[in-house]
Amino acid sequence: MPSKQRNVTSIALNLLDERGTYWLVDCGEGTQQQILNSPVKLGRTEKLFITHLHGDHLYGLPGLLTSRSYLGGDTPLTLYGPRGLKQFVETALEVSGAHLSYTLHLVELDEEGIIFEDESFLVETARLEHRIECFGFRIVEKDQPGKLLNEKLKELAVPPGPIYGQLKLGHTVQLEDGRTIHGKDFLGAPVPGRVVVILGDTRYCEGAKKLARGADVLVHEATFAMDKQELAYAFDHATSTDAARTAQEAGANVLIMTHLSSRYQGDSVNELLHQAQQIHGNSHLARDFWSFDIPRKV
């Protein structure tokens, strides 16, 4: 449930530098209101992933979709989620007489695996263990080309200009003097892409560890403290120690915990953080409007 300090779940992935867009994961009640107090622009939202169909991850969706129209959003939006999502969205829009000014693509998830891939990103999903069908998402930035070795080109008297741009892309170029040079021969080591894993509600499970393997950042629910382990298991939720175990065993660099029970108010949330840090030192508790920068690997 929401509290005075924390709203229900919605997470934004800022991809303005990479593709000029935002991706959202989940859309709990009040998400569009929260967005008004954040840098996120609905019109620049490209994808929205729904982990599962419980209300605290879903009830903000009809309002967000229609507000995107009112705010001038006219680019396509793709919505991913479990079976039943299409019925929920279409019913809400039809009954309320809503009209969208943009194309909405609905993708219902039937299988685990890759659900999106282009030249720069890949998204993989796997099932988690919760009371209803629930997914986690592994968002992979593909490796970037290495730096162009300008000095090496100068040694070969290759004139600066558009040619350098072609070589940076790895293309083969023929010079005016007849020489042919290959871009791959003039690039430094590739820059590894970053990996962000955002899970829906889940108890400790293999699906979560599978998605989180080697991730730069793992976003994991931590509904309860460790003294509520039996309660967490009974309701298919995780404790802060469960989240930390998953991060540690999967080799994830950073753990960010979300989805805290409303019983933890004020300083009591620090108990969850302390428990996680005993297992995985690089652990954090997300707060509303908090952001975490993921630097490129060098």
Side-chain angles (χ1 to χ4, degrees):
M1 295 187 298
S3 69
K4 291 182 179 180
Q5 288 78 38
R6 301 178 67 88
N7 197 46
V8 288
T9 300
S10 185
I11 297 166
L13 187 59
N14 183 338
L15 297 175
L16 291 179
D17 289 342
E18 293 77 15
R19 56 197 298 131
T21 61
Y22 295 95
W23 290 2
L24 299 181
V25 179
D26 285 331
C27 191
E29 179 185 356
T31 292
Q32 64 166 317
Q33 184 70 31
Q34 295 288 85
I35 282 176
L36 295 177
N37 296 305
S38 81
V40 177
K41 304 298 181 186
L42 282 182
R44 302 187 74 172
T45 301
E46 177 190 18
K47 295 183 181 296
L48 204 167
F49 303 88
I50 299 295
T51 60
H52 64 297
L53 303 186
H54 277 155
D56 56 326
H57 298 254
L58 182 70
Y59 285 167
L61 192 52
L64 183 141
L65 294 177
T66 51
S67 289
R68 189 175 187 266
S69 284
Y70 304 149
L71 295 171
D74 56 8
T75 55
L77 175 67
T78 304
L79 187 58
Y80 301 83
R83 284 171 293 178
L85 179 62
K86 185 173 187 289
Q87 180 184 0
F88 176 86
V89 170
E90 291 182 347
T91 299
L93 296 179
E94 179 183 355
V95 170
S96 63
H99 171 72
L100 303 184
S101 61
Y102 55 89
T103 301
L104 179 65
H105 300 289
L106 280 160
V107 179
E108 292 195 324
L109 305 176
D110 291 315
E111 302 293 337
E112 299 179 318
I114 296 171
I115 60 171
F116 170 78
E117 184 173 10
D118 65 6
E119 67 281 356
S120 55
F121 280 88
L122 178 150
V123 180
E124 179 184 358
T125 189
R127 285 185 172 87
L128 305 174
E129 292 187 13
H130 194 47
R131 286 175 289 160
I132 62 174
E133 187 167 57
C134 185
F135 291 91
F137 299 97
R138 178 181 175 90
I139 302 165
V140 179
E141 177 187 42
K142 294 185 177 180
D143 292 351
Q144 306 294 303
K147 292 183 178 180
L148 188 64
L149 305 177
N150 293 336
E151 294 301 319
K152 187 175 179 181
L153 289 168
K154 290 177 181 177
E155 290 174 4
L156 296 178
V158 177
I163 290 174
Y164 277 41
Q166 294 297 309
L167 294 172
K168 171 69 174 174
L169 295 173
H171 295 168
T172 297
V173 174
Q174 186 168 17
L175 305 179
E176 291 184 359
D177 60 13
R179 287 182 294 165
T180 298
I181 56 177
H182 305 284
K184 61 182 178 61
D185 297 330
F186 297 91
L187 293 176
V191 178
R194 294 159 287 184
V195 178
V196 178
V197 176
I198 302 174
L199 304 182
D201 292 0
T202 185
R203 61 188 181 188
Y204 175 82
C205 69
E206 290 302 316
K209 288 194 289 184
K210 172 187 171 183
L211 285 179
R213 64 191 184 281
D216 293 277
V217 171
L218 167 64
V219 181
H220 196 299
E221 71 130 290
T223 306
F224 298 106
M226 62 185 299
D227 64 324
K228 303 294 183 184
Q229 183 71 61
E230 291 185 5
L231 186 63
Y233 190 85
F235 287 94
D236 288 335
H237 280 297
T239 65
S240 55
T241 53
D242 290 331
R245 283 178 60 202
T246 299
Q248 189 71 11
E249 293 172 9
N253 182 33
V254 174
L255 169 66
I256 298 175
M257 292 180 289
T258 62
H259 200 276
L260 313 184
S261 167
S262 57
R263 73 181 63 205
Y264 302 105
Q265 300 287 325
D267 292 339
S268 67
V269 299
N270 294 326
E271 176 187 1
L272 302 175
L273 181 60
H274 176 72
Q275 291 173 358
Q277 288 177 337
Q278 298 307 300
I279 298 172
H280 189 78
N282 201 356
S283 297
H284 305 265
L285 278 177
R287 305 181 302 277
D288 286 20
F289 311 117
W290 181 73
S291 63
F292 185 87
D293 183 59
I294 309 170
R296 288 194 183 278
K297 303 170 185 175
V298 292

